């Protein structure tokens, strides 16, 4: 027997229609590439998204065809989020930090028909356009009079001129909710990049999930600043969830340095912000240097890489800002877990609470998780036993775009299909996940595993250390031993012996790194993560003392 409720599909167009009808005047504030502050609202974004949809119809784009963006966080990017997906096309957000060859590869792989870009990325477009034969329309996200006259891109048009010629009346199509909505390539460190192809259903489910009180607790009274780029897993779904709850959105554009982010937060009275640890490091550095305080910020979501405990403490204890440590993956839409305490934890002393907050958190509805051994056997959730982390759920990938890489799923004894995350983790009896490593980064010493994340966290707690990566290096007796590669804070004085001494009493003796190498910078990937593969290559001739 079927239920007798209205069978209305969950569509991305419903989100913007809802925001327009019920939160039409909630503000969308953007620091533009042009440098100024632009103010819009959901009513205006909705109307302009309909113009985008009409514009794509006029160009004859079929349902399911891909429209790429190469853009910072801003109102025009938001209009494309809704106009492209809402009208049945697929939004492909391209990461401008990719190498030009990789960028050309993914535009061709996605067979993008239209590419919309911020003017600041014109040099990238000029370098790549002749290698992208599928792209029929190049759109610069600017006013008509800002369009450079001799850009050398055939048929280049300005976004404002393009949508000005379109009607803002448009009936969003009644799509099947499983229709593809957006495409996101993973940062993939090996082989060709693979893409998650989200659906309207998975996107709306994710928006509900992240809005929950124990997740990001999004409300109409919030002013949300996604520092995480809209080209990195849809800014963790915030552009959709914000429309669902009708909160103010504040977009930082290209200005991601500590000073610019701080000034925008204060000017727009931001209550919640989300980003990777590296951007928060810059923000905290700016606050500390200037003796500044936050006047409105209540909470910050930190994810994409492990949040160092020192950062968590600083936000909470120095600035009274609650840190929500989150773990996720492109393949999960992306949020998988988020760390918020349970009622029974509230009576614990602050240090015990802090220990829990350092974990990546509890599963969010829509992502189930399990840890298994090398034979696929489930391991105990005792907070100590580490295993390969598997996930499943309606917003987890079933396969990659165009079947790239074959069937990614593994089956358990009951035949349930799970996605292997490639992460190694523990789960405690209260359900809190703690990522100890990427499986390829784990250090195997004498048959035991050492968590590189734990050793990195200790290093960055040292007052002289700005950043640290821990990698395994070959050892004749133990197979591998941990090596810390560290960047000093400007002007700080510290040597390897000081840092190694700092580990005493903070971890088991046999896990203390064997050596420290100081470098000027650690190579960072396009999504703000340390590139340990490159680091291993750079240090391939390094040998541990005494070996
Ligand atoms: P991406 O798909 O590029 O977002 O990368 C996903 C990967 O980032 C995960 O599989 C983890 O290895 C890593 N990651 C994300 N969030 C965290 C976190 N809070 N702590 C540790 N690693 C994380």
């Amino acid at each position: 027997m079927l239920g007798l409720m209205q069978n209305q599909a969950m569509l991305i167009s419903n989100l913007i229609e809802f925001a327009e009808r019920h939160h039409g005047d909630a503000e969308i504030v953007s620091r533009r590439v042009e440098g100024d502050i632009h103010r819009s609202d959901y009513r205006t974004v909705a109307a302009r998204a309909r113009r985008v949809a009409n514009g794509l119809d006029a160009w004859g784009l079929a349902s399911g065809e891909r429209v790429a963006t190469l853009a910072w966080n801003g109102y025009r990017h938001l209009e494309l989020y809704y106009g492209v997906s809402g009208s049945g096309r697929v939004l492909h957000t391209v990461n401008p930090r990719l190498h030009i060859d990789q960028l050309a590869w993914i535009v061709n792989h996605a067979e993008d028909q239209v590419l919309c870009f911020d003017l600041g990325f014109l040099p990238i477009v000029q370098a790549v356009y002749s290698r992208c034969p599928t792209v029929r329309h190049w759109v610069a996200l600017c006013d008509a009079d800002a369009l450079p006259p001799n850009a050398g891109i055939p048929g280049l048009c300005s976004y404002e001129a393009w949508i000005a010629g379109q009607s803002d009346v448009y009936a969003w199509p009644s799509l099947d909710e499983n229709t593809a909505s957006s495409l996101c390539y993973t940062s993939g460190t090996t082989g060709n990049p693979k893409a998650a192809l989200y659906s309207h259903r998975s996107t709306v489910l994710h928006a509900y999930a992240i809005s929950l009180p124990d997740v990001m607790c999004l409300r109409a009274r919030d002013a949300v600043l996604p520092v995480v780029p809209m080209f990195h897993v849809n800014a963790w779904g915030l552009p959709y969830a914000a429309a669902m709850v009708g909160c103010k959105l504040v977009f930082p554009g290209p200005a991601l340095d500590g000073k610019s982010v701080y000034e925008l937060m204060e000017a727009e009275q931001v209550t919640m912000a989300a980003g990777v640890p590296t951007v928060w490091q810059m923000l905290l550095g700016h606050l500390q240097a200037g003796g500044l305080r936050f006047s409105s910020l209540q909470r910050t979501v930190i994810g994409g890489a492990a949040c160092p405990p020192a950062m968590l403490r600083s936000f909470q204890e120095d600035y009274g800002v609650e840190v929500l440590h989150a773990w996720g993956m492109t393949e999960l839409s992306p949020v998988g877990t988020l760390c918020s305490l349970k009622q029974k934890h509230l009576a614990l002393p602050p240090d015990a609470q802090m220990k829990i907050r350092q974990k990546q958190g509890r599963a969010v509805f829509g992502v189930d998780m399990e840890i298994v051994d090398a034979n696929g056997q489930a391991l105990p959730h005792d907070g100590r036993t580490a295993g390969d982390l598997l996930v499943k759920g309606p917003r987890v990938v079933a396969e990659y775009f165009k079947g790239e890489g074959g069937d990614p799923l593994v089956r358990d004894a009951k035949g349930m299909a799970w996605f292997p995350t490639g992460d190694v983790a523990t789960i405690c009896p209260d359900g809190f996940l703690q990522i100890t490593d990427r499986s390829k980064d784990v250090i195997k010493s004498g048959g035991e595993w050492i968590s590189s994340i734990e050793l990195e966290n200790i290093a960055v707690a040292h007052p002289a250390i700005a950043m640290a990566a821990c990698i395994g290096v070959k050892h004749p007796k133990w197979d591998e031993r941990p090596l810390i590669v560290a960047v000093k804070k400007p002007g700080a004085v510290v040597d390897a012996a000081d840092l190694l001494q700092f580990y005493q009493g903070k971890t088991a003796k046999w896990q203390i790194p064997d050596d420290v190498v100081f470098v000027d910078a650690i190579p960072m990937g396009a999504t703000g993560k340390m590139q340990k593969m490159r680091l291993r290559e750079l240090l391939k001739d390094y040998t541990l003392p005494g070996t």
Side-chain angles (χ1 to χ4, degrees):
M1 182 162 60
L2 294 176
L4 296 175
M5 308 310 283
Q6 294 184 8
N7 188 10
Q8 193 183 305
M10 284 191 265
L11 299 177
I12 288 173
S13 54
N14 299 150
L15 293 172
I16 195 66
E17 271 187 326
F18 179 84
E20 180 183 24
R21 278 172 63 79
H22 302 288
H23 304 280
D25 65 350
E27 279 192 296
I28 312 291
V29 181
S30 313
R31 189 195 294 277
R32 299 205 293 179
V33 172
E34 293 89 327
D36 59 345
I37 298 288
H38 176 274
R39 309 192 90 82
S40 181
D41 54 29
Y42 285 111
R43 191 173 294 123
T44 312
V45 166
R48 286 164 55 94
R50 291 193 291 268
R51 289 177 187 270
V52 168
N54 277 319
L56 296 173
D57 281 4
W59 279 342
L61 242 77
S63 182
E65 285 195 307
R66 270 75 66 199
V67 175
T69 58
L70 198 59
W72 295 111
N73 295 4
Y75 64 104
R76 290 177 179 133
H77 207 169
L78 187 68
E79 292 157 10
L80 288 163
Y81 262 52
Y82 286 104
V84 172
S85 302
S87 65
R89 284 87 184 195
V90 174
L91 182 82
H92 171 205
T93 49
V94 182
N95 187 336
R97 295 179 184 138
L98 291 175
H99 185 271
I100 211 85
D101 292 340
Q102 232 177 353
L103 203 143
W105 189 92
I106 67 169
V107 169
N108 282 303
H109 189 260
E111 299 172 67
D112 294 325
Q113 302 287 311
V114 179
L115 194 146
C116 306
F117 62 96
D118 277 342
L119 260 193
F121 298 130
L122 180 61
I124 299 181
V125 171
Q126 285 168 327
V128 91
Y129 85 91
S130 61
R131 295 159 66 180
C132 302
T134 62
V135 179
R136 292 189 280 138
H137 301 278
W138 300 89
V139 181
L141 296 169
C142 64
D143 292 328
D145 56 8
L147 202 64
N150 302 312
I153 315 289
L156 177 66
C157 68
S158 97
Y159 176 80
E160 294 300 336
W162 174 46
I163 66 167
Q166 306 298 329
S167 161
D168 66 4
V169 178
Y170 184 83
W172 298 110
S174 304
L175 306 168
D176 180 319
E177 65 184 14
N178 289 302
T179 303
S181 60
S182 49
L183 185 67
C184 198
Y185 283 77
T186 65
S187 29
T189 40
T190 49
N192 283 328
K194 298 194 278 286
L197 182 61
Y198 308 117
S199 67
H200 285 257
R201 174 183 152 85
S202 68
T203 304
V204 176
L205 284 178
H206 182 267
Y208 275 120
I210 65 167
S211 304
L212 287 169
D214 259 359
V215 190
M216 300 192 193
C217 191
L218 297 177
R219 293 165 300 184
R221 71 182 68 166
D222 274 314
V224 171
L225 177 85
V227 182
V228 51
M230 291 167 82
F231 55 74
H232 185 195
V233 216
N234 300 326
W236 298 347
L238 284 167
Y240 304 114
M244 181 178 269
V245 303
C247 66
K248 172 173 172 177
L249 264 174
V250 183
F251 288 127
L256 302 179
D257 60 287
K259 179 173 185 290
S260 307
V261 170
Y262 175 75
E263 285 173 359
L264 193 61
M265 280 178 164
E266 288 301 300
E268 300 303 328
Q269 290 292 284
V270 166
T271 55
M272 201 288 261
V276 295
T278 35
V279 298
W280 298 139
Q281 198 145 11
M282 293 193 280
L283 180 68
L284 286 177
H286 178 69
L287 266 94
Q288 282 152 3
L292 304 166
R293 310 289 307 169
F294 293 114
S295 65
S296 57
L297 190 68
Q298 296 163 0
R299 58 200 190 284
T300 164
V301 181
I302 305 185
C307 172
M311 177 176 288
L312 210 145
R313 273 189 191 277
S314 183
F315 265 116
Q316 303 242 155
E317 291 170 6
D318 304 341
Y319 299 102
V321 173
E322 184 182 17
V323 170
L324 304 168
H325 190 193
W327 166 85
M329 297 183 80
T330 306
E331 288 87 341
L332 275 60
S333 305
V335 177
T337 65
L338 189 133
C339 197
S340 60
L341 301 182
K342 291 183 171 182
Q343 197 209 9
K344 66 179 176 185
H345 299 133
L346 301 179
L348 292 175
D351 269 5
Q353 289 194 7
M354 192 56 85
K355 266 203 148 41
I356 302 172
R357 289 188 173 283
Q358 287 167 16
K359 300 187 179 208
Q360 276 76 4
R362 290 180 281 120
V364 175
F365 183 73
V367 174
D368 197 6
M369 59 191 191
E370 189 51 282
I371 45 171
V372 296
D373 64 15
N375 301 317
Q377 293 301 315
L379 291 168
H381 293 189
D382 58 9
R384 289 188 310 274
T385 313
D388 292 318
L389 178 64
L390 310 180
V391 294
K392 65 178 171 66
R395 53 181 179 80
V396 176
V397 287
E399 60 180 289
Y400 289 103
F401 182 50
K402 293 186 170 177
E404 207 66 49
D407 180 1
L409 306 183
V410 293
R411 269 89 194 157
D412 65 15
K414 293 188 199 123
M416 300 292 268
W418 295 81
F419 175 76
T421 61
D423 285 331
V424 177
T426 62
I427 301 176
C428 78
D430 285 326
F432 286 78
L433 175 86
Q434 182 149 29
I435 302 285
T436 55
D437 253 307
R438 286 297 289 165
S439 54
K440 59 184 184 307
D441 292 338
V442 96
I443 298 157
K444 292 170 191 122
S445 171
E448 298 286 343
W449 287 6
I450 299 178
S451 159
S452 64
I453 294 180
E454 188 191 332
L455 299 187
E456 286 157 7
N457 283 343
I458 296 174
V460 293
H462 190 288
I465 302 298
M467 197 182 267
C470 180
I471 55 171
V473 278
K474 289 251 166 301
H475 189 282
K477 180 169 176 196
W478 303 110
D479 280 346
E480 276 184 346
R481 289 295 302 157
L483 168 74
I484 291 286
V485 185
V487 180
K488 294 180 197 176
K489 286 191 180 154
V493 181
V494 61
D495 62 16
D498 294 337
L499 188 55
L500 293 176
Q501 179 59 32
F502 188 68
Y503 277 87
Q504 296 294 336
K506 297 190 175 69
T507 185
K509 263 205 161 14
W510 65 273
Q511 299 193 349
I512 294 179
D514 281 24
D515 198 12
V516 178
V517 171
F518 290 101
V519 293
D520 292 338
I522 289 174
M524 300 297 281
T527 53
K529 295 176 213 258
M530 295 189 289
Q531 287 188 309
K532 293 199 191 172
M533 276 246 293
R534 283 212 44 214
L535 212 50
R536 283 190 207 101
E537 271 165 39
L538 293 171
L539 290 164
K540 66 180 185 313
D541 297 328
Y542 168 87
T543 50
L544 285 168
T547 60

